[in-house]
Amino acid sequence: MKFKFILSICLFAGIYSSAQQTQRKTPAKETTTTSQVTIKEEPKPAGNERTIKVESSVVTNHNVTINGKAVPYKATTGTLPVWDEEGKPIAGLFYTYYERSDVQNRDKRPLVISFNGGPGSASVWMHIAYTGPVILNIDDEGYPVQPYGYKENPYSILDVADVVYIDPVNTGYSRAISKDIPTNKFFGVKADIKYLAEWINTFVTRNNRWASPKFLIGESYGTTRVSGLALELQNNQWMYLNGVVLVSPTELGIERGGPVDAALRLPYFAATAWYHKVLPADLQSKDLTAMLPEVESFTINEVIPAIAQGSMLSPDKKRAIAVKMARYSGISEKVFLDYNLNVPTDFFWKELLRDKGFTVGRLDSRYKGIDIMGAGESPDYNAELTSWLHSFTPAINMYIRNELNYKTDLKYNMFGSVYPWDNSGDKTGDNLRQAMAQNPFLHVLVQSGYYDGACDYFNAKYSMWQLDAAGKLQDRLTWEGYRSGHMMYLRKEDLKTSNNHVRDFILKALPKSGEAAKF
């Protein structure tokens, strides 16, 4: 899983045109259109240009019922600038900010800052399917249904925290103001963290949220992003956090090459094989979470040492290991021997149900695909992502325009071009460790789907072990697993459970009144 672009099917961004460069001191004109909607906008550019407004906002008011209780809220949708070193805007970031409107004092009200991944992915996924006030119109397992659309989210965390969803440059409606702006200002591990930390400072200042307890939540590559942001915000923006939530985390720059990388994927293979009912009867008869510890122990204690031995491993021992790997994975002993015990995940997705005429999904192995031929080393397409785009794309375009009243001719980029992306210097796992070591208030929650093959659950556990190799942060690190994939919240049962875990995490991470930040 060497720093994969987790949602790797990227659509190239649309047309980029030059926008009028406003300075920080230039105020935007504010007009009220109705009692429910407030629009702040700049003078419009000449002609019908598809340009980004570096500052704009639309305010609407709503209600949602969460866990049986009515929650009124205000939604602010718009853009705020990304500044260069001279204080000039170089991009406008699109965001949606939800505030519970019956709260009198926001000093104690938690603020959750939400990112998705890619790195070229918009915030749409968690926004309209997980923590926000609306969710997709899908079936209980996450599959698309028609008519496309959205509905109330009865499990949203908006009852306990305000949330802002942020689209990095080239995702959603966010764009650089000119094609002449160097892309290395945005597209790289370090650049991404740096400019987003500056933007968060602007957002928090503009919205008077410095006193609020603050939490970051990131999914997929968003976990790399928020792990780096935890230290960047602390060291260079002087903004201290109460919590970080890692949803389907990447490797976070933590090294795991060779035998470790090859072995760690086996528990994911076992979970997927269990779901598709292709394990031996004695394993299949056990519950998933009762079966997996056996596989995890075998992986750590036998598979890693065996692969590490290479040619020193005797043929008999190698065959014995292959037999057990086959038993736990649903694919043949011969396959493991042919691959020297190192079966790639893309081959597993092709091989597991090959005899039944199906492939399994990368981001969620519950999903099945159909290839042009049974032969081959990997699936023709990502069955799960194709399914998700069915329901997400219409819903976000309808919701922003019709419900939140934000109007623009820009294309909403579910995925945008962020290439070339500079991967160098990814020490984000260690960044998070440093932030926790320096800030006694900082807690971390990790959420993983058992059927996620891109950011698998056992690699997430391994990251936690290595992040806290000294064992001094265990009381502030929590892991939760779910019977779904990368976007565990698409399954109705996990939507409720995972939101409750986030809600409980937020409340438990808040210090008691007068409690000091000290070890």
Side-chain angles (χ1 to χ4, degrees):
M1 200 176 65
K2 291 288 186 184
F3 192 84
K4 293 177 181 176
F5 287 162
I6 304 305
L7 297 175
S8 57
I9 300 177
C10 289
L11 307 177
F12 286 95
I15 300 171
Y16 303 110
S17 303
S18 212
Q20 183 176 354
Q21 293 195 4
T22 58
Q23 303 293 324
R24 287 184 190 238
K25 63 184 180 181
T26 305
K29 181 180 179 182
E30 183 174 297
T31 59
T32 301
T33 58
T34 72
S35 61
Q36 292 291 310
V37 182
T38 303
I39 302 175
K40 183 190 291 183
E41 60 183 1
E42 300 171 320
K44 295 181 179 179
N48 295 320
E49 300 174 4
R50 267 177 133 183
T51 56
I52 180 70
K53 296 176 181 178
V54 296
E55 289 199 52
S56 63
S57 67
V58 177
V59 176
T60 52
N61 292 288
H62 313 264
N63 287 276
V64 62
T65 301
I66 300 173
N67 290 326
K69 297 181 180 179
V71 176
Y73 67 94
K74 178 175 75 171
T76 303
T77 308
T79 52
L80 280 177
V82 174
W83 312 105
D84 68 8
E85 293 79 2
E86 298 177 354
K88 297 179 180 179
I90 56 174
L93 290 198
F94 181 74
Y95 69 95
T96 305
Y97 175 36
Y98 298 105
E99 302 169 86
R100 183 166 178 163
S101 51
D102 59 353
V103 173
Q104 301 301 316
N105 181 4
R106 298 210 177 269
D107 289 356
K108 295 182 180 180
R109 174 79 170 165
L111 172 66
V112 175
I113 301 165
S114 181
F115 292 98
N116 272 95
S121 173
S123 66
V124 53
W125 314 99
M126 289 198 293
H127 182 179
I128 62 168
Y130 190 9
T131 51
V134 302
I135 51 173
L136 296 174
N137 182 31
I138 52 181
D139 78 359
D140 287 353
E141 291 298 314
Y143 290 87
V145 297
Q146 290 184 325
Y148 301 122
Y150 49 88
K151 56 191 176 185
E152 274 196 359
N153 182 2
Y155 311 116
S156 169
I157 63 170
L158 191 56
D159 57 334
V160 298
D162 297 336
V163 190
V164 56
Y165 299 90
I166 303 167
D167 293 334
V169 171
N170 275 12
T171 73
Y173 294 132
S174 299
R175 303 288 191 275
I177 65 169
S178 166
K179 63 183 179 182
D180 298 324
I181 303 295
T183 59
N184 63 10
K185 295 279 188 184
F186 315 112
F187 301 157
V189 176
K190 291 183 177 180
D192 181 75
I193 290 167
K194 181 180 179 181
Y195 90 81
L196 288 172
E198 289 282 350
W199 189 93
I200 290 170
N201 187 311
T202 299
F203 176 85
V204 167
T205 301
R206 293 274 189 100
N207 290 279
N208 195 27
R209 297 307 299 264
W210 275 98
S212 301
K214 299 173 191 66
F215 295 79
L216 299 178
I217 182 170
E219 179 182 47
S220 195
Y221 182 82
T223 62
T224 300
R225 177 175 286 138
V226 299
S227 295
L229 278 169
L231 189 66
E232 178 72 15
L233 287 170
Q234 192 166 294
N235 285 359
N236 294 315
Q237 304 298 330
W238 312 287
M239 186 182 296
Y240 286 73
L241 303 172
N242 288 76
V244 174
V245 182
L246 306 178
V247 180
S248 304
T250 63
E251 293 177 347
L252 307 178
I254 297 171
E255 181 57 41
R256 66 197 74 205
V260 173
D261 184 48
L264 290 183
R265 61 185 76 121
L266 181 62
Y268 155 71
F269 288 177
T272 299
W274 182 90
Y275 177 81
H276 289 289
K277 297 180 172 56
V278 294
L279 290 180
D282 63 316
L283 294 176
Q284 198 67 58
S285 65
K286 295 180 180 180
D287 186 63
L288 175 65
T289 54
M291 180 271 294
L292 286 175
E294 179 181 333
V295 187
E296 294 174 6
S297 177
F298 170 66
T299 299
I300 295 296
N301 297 317
E302 298 186 55
V303 180
I304 292 176
I307 297 176
Q309 290 179 59
S311 63
M312 291 293 292
L313 187 67
S314 72
D316 287 346
K317 181 62 176 175
K318 185 174 184 179
R319 182 170 297 278
I321 293 292
V323 167
K324 290 190 74 172
M325 294 181 82
R327 167 176 162 79
Y328 290 135
S329 67
I331 57 179
S332 74
E333 166 194 340
K334 184 178 185 302
V335 167
F336 281 100
L337 290 172
D338 287 346
Y339 274 99
N340 292 324
L341 310 182
N342 184 5
V343 174
T345 47
D346 53 356
F347 183 82
F348 174 79
W349 300 323
K350 180 76 174 185
E351 178 70 11
L352 183 68
L353 300 181
R354 194 192 297 264
D355 61 341
K356 296 179 175 61
F358 295 107
T359 62
V360 298
R362 171 175 175 255
L363 294 162
D364 193 327
S365 295
R366 297 175 303 149
Y367 290 72
K368 295 187 288 188
I370 300 174
D371 281 359
I372 191 171
M373 63 178 67
E377 300 292 308
S378 61
D380 292 349
Y381 65 97
N382 291 341
E384 78 297 326
L385 187 58
T386 298
S387 175
W388 295 341
L389 288 169
H390 257 275
S391 44
F392 274 95
T393 310
I396 191 64
N397 281 280
M398 295 158 59
Y399 176 64
I400 291 175
R401 178 170 287 268
N402 299 336
E403 192 78 16
L404 302 183
N405 207 39
Y406 190 86
K407 305 294 197 299
T408 177
D409 286 329
L410 283 174
K411 179 174 66 175
Y412 188 90
N413 283 340
M414 304 291 286
F415 303 101
S417 177
V418 294
Y419 300 103
W421 186 269
D422 183 0
N423 298 331
S424 63
D426 181 1
K427 301 293 184 184
T428 51
D430 192 59
N431 294 158
L432 182 56
R433 180 199 62 77
Q434 288 185 56
M436 292 182 74
Q438 296 172 21
N439 177 6
F441 281 160
L442 181 54
H443 294 68
V444 172
L445 169 64
V446 179
Q447 298 184 302
S448 297
Y450 290 113
Y451 309 127
D452 181 0
C455 299
D456 69 84
Y457 88 92
F458 200 56
N459 264 282
K461 286 187 173 183
Y462 181 85
S463 290
M464 288 180 63
W465 300 336
Q466 302 308 311
L467 187 149
D468 181 30
K472 296 180 178 179
L473 306 174
Q474 291 299 299
D475 61 330
R476 291 185 282 142
L477 281 168
T478 306
W479 181 88
E480 299 287 354
Y482 308 91
R483 296 177 187 234
S484 43
H486 197 69
M487 299 182 191
M488 76 287 296
Y489 43 81
L490 294 182
R491 181 171 176 258
K492 184 177 180 180
E493 183 178 331
D494 291 327
L495 171 69
K496 179 179 181 178
T497 304
S498 57
N499 266 307
N500 281 338
H501 286 152
V502 174
R503 179 180 289 103
D504 291 345
F505 171 75
I506 290 171
L507 295 176
K508 289 177 181 177
L510 298 177
K512 297 180 177 64
S513 180
E515 181 181 348
K518 63 181 180 180
F519 295 112

